[in-house]
Amino acid sequence: MMHRPQREEFALKETYPHLGGGKISGDKLTSTYDLVEQMQYLYVRVVKAKDLPGKDVTGSCDPYVEVKLGNYVGFTRFFEKKSNPEWNQVFAFSKDRLQASLLEVTVKDKDFVKDDFIGKIFFDLNEIPKRVPPDSPLAPQWYRLEDRQGNKVKGELMLAVWMGTQADEAFPEAWHSDAAVVSGAEGLANIRSKVYLSPKLWYLRVNVIEAQDLQPGDKGRYPEVFVKATLGNQALRTRISQARGMNPMWNEDLMFVAAEPFEERLILSVEDRVAPNKDEVLGKCAIPLQYVDKRFDHKPVNSRWFNLEKHAIIEGEKKKETKFSSRIHMRICLEGGYHVLDESTHYSSDLRPTAKQLWKASIGVLELGILNAHGLMPMKTKDGRGTTDAYCVAKYGQKWVRTRTIIDSFAPKWNEQYTWEVFDPCTVITIGVFDNCHLHGGDKGGGAKDSKIGKVRIRLSTLETDRVYTHSYPLLVLHPNGVKKMGEIHLAVRFTCSSLLNMMHMYSRPLLPKMHYLHPLTVIQLDSLRHQATQIVSMWLGRAEPPLRKEVVEYMLDVGSHMWSMRRSKANFFRIMNVLGGLIAVGKWFDQICNWKNPITTVLIHILFIILVLYPELILPTIFLYLFLIGVWYYRWRPRHPPHMDTRLSHADSAHPDELDEEFDTFPTSRPSDIVRMRYDRLRSIAGRIQTVVGDLATQGERLQSLLSWRDPRATALFVIFCLVAAIVLYVTPFQVVALLAGFYILRHPRFRHKLPSVPLNFFRRLPARTDSML
């Protein structure tokens, strides 16, 4: 059962952009910016000035420079009382928006009332030289300042003016005419493009073995002791020790996620459950993670005794004298052999272990050109009209990139290119588009959030190597009122393979590092650790400048994708049906052959069957040859585009409004009780159906087990006797004869068939299952 194709507006479109200024020849790497369209900029580097005349009453000068081109004006910072200032600031004017043929550079003196004019320099745009990397940067020159009439005046200004592209090294830190409306240093920092690195994450294993010489407050009862371990905002506890005394034992593992550099200490407290909601601390110890052993395989690390103090120094508290010390016995290590999962396992971009020593060589390079977007929706209202300030974030491995923010545009052009090393082809790069809500000096109240416009995922293994893919991807977002197209993003992607042999070898290796298989973590542990890892990554990137905010990181990492959704459950059910559809189709085809619907095909199957029985050594070669021929036949219809989000497959375009409202509900729920009751009843009815299907599968398995278990003594006796007879018959009869008779019986003509079920099927259905023992 194939799903219907999705609507045209939600489909992927192949494009043919003018990449690398037309220099991209075949698949050859020609320049660092060959996957994006060239954007021309006029660059002005204002370096310094000398011998500026004093304009104030005091004879001093507070100079700054104004760079003006048409309607766009940029200013350097000003210096107080300095006649030889150094600015070293770069201004970039987009050639697409140039509205003048003259560039004016004016030096002014900052004043309370009106800034005084010191001198200016004019440049004709037709005379400005071009610079193309890898040419060296243009050397700045001294220019004499002129007055308004064009006469030379006192003072000189050092400048460099050139035409270049976004590949110029000056581009990332330049003041952009595109962002002329943004004010303040913080606002400007929030629109710059940046590369971020996730923190290096480790699993911390704390094996709590035992404690000795505890001193509970109440000596008249056996203490109920447990150990509570805290690392940052993660807190775990052991169960209450069964050994009721002053020397309790646990031998229990607690797992944490720790980020390098290790700023936080592991704090352990041994506590006594005095009353149901009251715990008495018997001792604490704080362990810096810098001194904890790191291990890269499953060899045990040495255990150590730690002294427990009644008042350990924690977060600068005062330490009090303790004359007698209890001890705790533990084995603590940082696990370098695991990959710390911080993404959804379906969309992992990195599968390497934490320890660098265990990394294999890279197999290639992934290059991404973020060209532009078009048809974006207005995301907020400013001055009574809708506006969008869009930027992109791309994540692969530990490297996150953020493009610059294009101010007030529904069709922003970024044309930025980024590169990642690839260690495994079965990984996914995620590209998200967001609306920047922190332009004017940031958000003072802290309540504004960057809105999500949409995201695209590309699995590297679906890309041909060394081919440039240029496609326009629809940005689809599910809202409480249905699926909505928020615009399209235009990307260029190339996956270059350094060693085909290494890459092919990757397909034979386990997906995760071997520690995940030798010492697997439980599903509950993995879920909890993934949650902690995403929180740490989110906090870390939120502290960068400009910050990658929590809502952005969580959207990119798919936090919350495990929550119940009627729509997703329905989609997964139809995916299973689609997979089983092939088997069902083969079953129907074979049934038609058995029932002689097409006599010619059935006769041909008889002939093939006789050949395979007489020459059984041909069975396996025939199967593999058939699979080879099918594979070659399907090559003509191989997918030409990277896969993209499918609204039909996701059942996003046919979801009921109430189902979507349930999906967007908070956890725990914030809906009124009558709606929750209705949803709960609906969930129970669906769960009841699932329960029935699972029960039916279990019943069939238990019937198979009961064939030999003597649960039904008569049925087992019949089966055992049948097995004995079958063994004797098969010993004395050649296998080919048995196979031919069985095959001819299965393929017999419909006139020799009965409508009633066969004897073996009747026998199997009468076998007992364990349903009788269910309450």
Side-chain angles (χ1 to χ4, degrees), residues 250-544:
W250 296 277
N251 200 16
E252 200 171 325
D253 271 359
L254 304 175
M255 295 287 284
F256 295 92
V257 179
E260 208 173 326
F262 304 117
E263 294 167 356
E264 284 150 341
R265 292 185 294 176
L266 174 69
I267 295 160
L268 289 131
S269 64
V270 180
E271 301 187 14
D272 178 14
R273 175 68 47 86
V274 182
N277 289 319
K278 191 181 173 205
D279 301 322
E280 182 197 355
V281 177
L282 303 181
K284 279 191 174 186
C285 69
I287 301 161
L289 297 186
Q290 292 91 316
Y291 310 117
V292 169
D293 292 332
K294 294 175 180 173
R295 71 170 186 178
F296 309 132
D297 48 28
H298 52 279
K299 289 183 184 136
V301 292
N302 295 329
S303 60
R304 285 173 57 197
W305 287 95
F306 295 88
N307 286 342
L308 289 169
E309 292 163 357
K310 272 273 167 44
H311 304 279
I313 300 174
I314 294 155
E315 301 303 323
E317 288 175 17
K318 194 177 178 187
K319 183 177 173 182
K320 295 180 186 172
E321 283 300 314
T322 46
K323 290 180 180 167
F324 181 79
S325 182
S326 312
R327 302 194 303 164
I328 186 167
H329 189 199
M330 289 187 298
R331 188 178 278 114
I332 304 178
C333 65
L334 288 158
E335 298 277 15
Y338 289 93
H339 168 68
V340 178
L341 297 155
D342 60 342
E343 305 167 283
S344 166
T345 38
H346 305 299
Y347 312 120
S348 284
S349 63
D350 189 13
L351 300 162
R352 290 170 293 168
T354 300
K356 235 175 177 170
Q357 297 92 315
L358 303 177
W359 291 3
K360 299 279 183 279
S362 73
I363 57 159
V365 169
L366 169 67
E367 293 161 283
L368 172 72
I370 302 172
L371 286 93
N372 53 55
H374 55 270
L376 296 185
M377 305 293 282
M379 299 302 292
K380 56 180 178 270
T381 310
K382 192 168 74 178
D383 305 331
R385 64 184 183 86
T387 176
T388 298
D389 307 316
Y391 66 93
C392 289
V393 174
K395 185 225 188 290
Y396 184 80
Q398 284 185 309
K399 180 172 158 185
W400 298 64
V401 300
R402 171 190 178 135
T403 66
R404 67 194 188 284
T405 301
I406 306 292
I407 310 296
D408 193 13
S409 172
F410 300 134
K413 289 186 176 180
W414 293 285
N415 285 308
E416 295 184 27
Q417 186 169 334
Y418 297 96
T419 307
W420 286 268
E421 266 194 304
V422 177
F423 292 86
D424 194 317
C426 302
T427 45
V428 174
I429 180 170
T430 306
I431 303 107
V433 187
F434 301 89
D435 174 46
N436 197 333
C437 296
H438 299 82
L439 294 183
H440 301 282
D443 172 52
K444 301 295 179 227
K449 289 187 172 183
D450 288 354
S451 317
K452 48 185 186 275
I453 298 174
K455 73 178 159 198
V456 174
R457 291 194 202 96
I458 302 170
R459 188 172 288 277
L460 271 56
S461 58
T462 61
L463 305 177
E464 292 173 20
T465 45
D466 299 325
R467 177 181 159 189
V468 177
Y469 287 85
T470 49
H471 287 86
S472 193
Y473 296 80
L475 295 166
L476 306 175
V477 173
L478 196 66
H479 289 288
N481 52 359
V483 70
K484 196 172 179 185
K485 182 178 171 182
M486 308 295 285
E488 293 189 7
I489 183 168
H490 192 186
L491 302 174
V493 185
R494 174 170 53 202
F495 173 33
T496 313
C497 172
S498 54
S499 162
L500 188 65
L501 203 65
N502 272 0
M503 185 159 81
M504 292 305 192
H505 177 56
M506 286 305 295
Y507 281 90
S508 68
R509 299 185 58 79
L511 202 59
L512 289 164
K514 62 183 182 184
M515 279 293 280
H516 284 270
Y517 306 99
L518 298 175
H519 282 259
L521 302 168
T522 66
V523 175
I524 294 166
Q525 269 181 325
L526 281 174
D527 276 351
S528 158
L529 292 169
R530 181 184 285 116
H531 174 71
Q532 294 301 341
T534 53
Q535 294 303 308
I536 289 170
V537 170
S538 159
M539 279 165 56
W540 177 275
L541 296 174
R543 293 208 308 253

Side-chain angles (χ1 to χ4, degrees), residues 125 183 187 228 269 286 345 350 498 544 567 583 596 682 687:
L125 295 195
S183 59
K228 184 178 168 188
S269 64
T345 38
D350 189 13
S498 54
R567 175 191 61 82
L583 292 172
W596 292 68
R682 180 175 64 192

Side-chain angles (χ1 to χ4, degrees), residues 12-133:
L12 201 64
K13 298 181 188 78
E14 190 156 9
T15 59
Y16 302 95
H18 190 65
L19 296 183
K23 284 191 297 226
I24 184 160
S25 50
D27 297 321
K28 271 202 159 111
L29 195 68
T30 51
S31 81
T32 50
Y33 270 68
D34 66 332
L35 280 191
V36 288
E37 295 178 307
Q38 275 194 358
M39 296 172 79
Q40 298 291 328
Y41 283 89
L42 168 67
Y43 288 99
V44 182
R45 182 185 288 280
V46 179
V47 185
K48 56 185 174 180
K50 66 179 180 186
D51 304 332
L52 295 179
K55 289 284 179 181
D56 295 347
V57 184
T58 56
S60 64
C61 169
D62 306 332
Y64 71 92
V65 177
E66 174 190 281
V67 182
K68 187 176 181 186
L69 185 65
N71 295 336
Y72 295 111
V73 184
F75 302 95
T76 65
R77 60 195 178 278
F78 79 93
F79 289 98
E80 282 191 30
K81 299 184 174 51
K82 203 166 189 187
S83 56
N84 298 323
E86 280 198 32
W87 293 283
N88 204 14
Q89 276 180 260
V90 181
F91 298 84
F93 298 89
S94 171
K95 193 179 178 184
D96 295 349
R97 299 191 182 184
L98 294 188
Q99 300 160 332
S101 57
L102 276 183
L103 169 72
E104 295 177 48
V105 182
T106 311
V107 183
K108 293 188 174 182
D109 176 28
K110 190 87 173 164
D111 216 334
F112 286 116
V113 186
K114 187 173 184 291
D115 296 347
D116 294 322
F117 171 87
I118 296 177
K120 66 161 61 176
I121 306 162
F122 287 102
F123 291 91
D124 185 341
L125 295 195
N126 298 321
E127 304 296 320
I128 288 171
K130 280 196 165 81
R131 184 216 160 197
V132 182

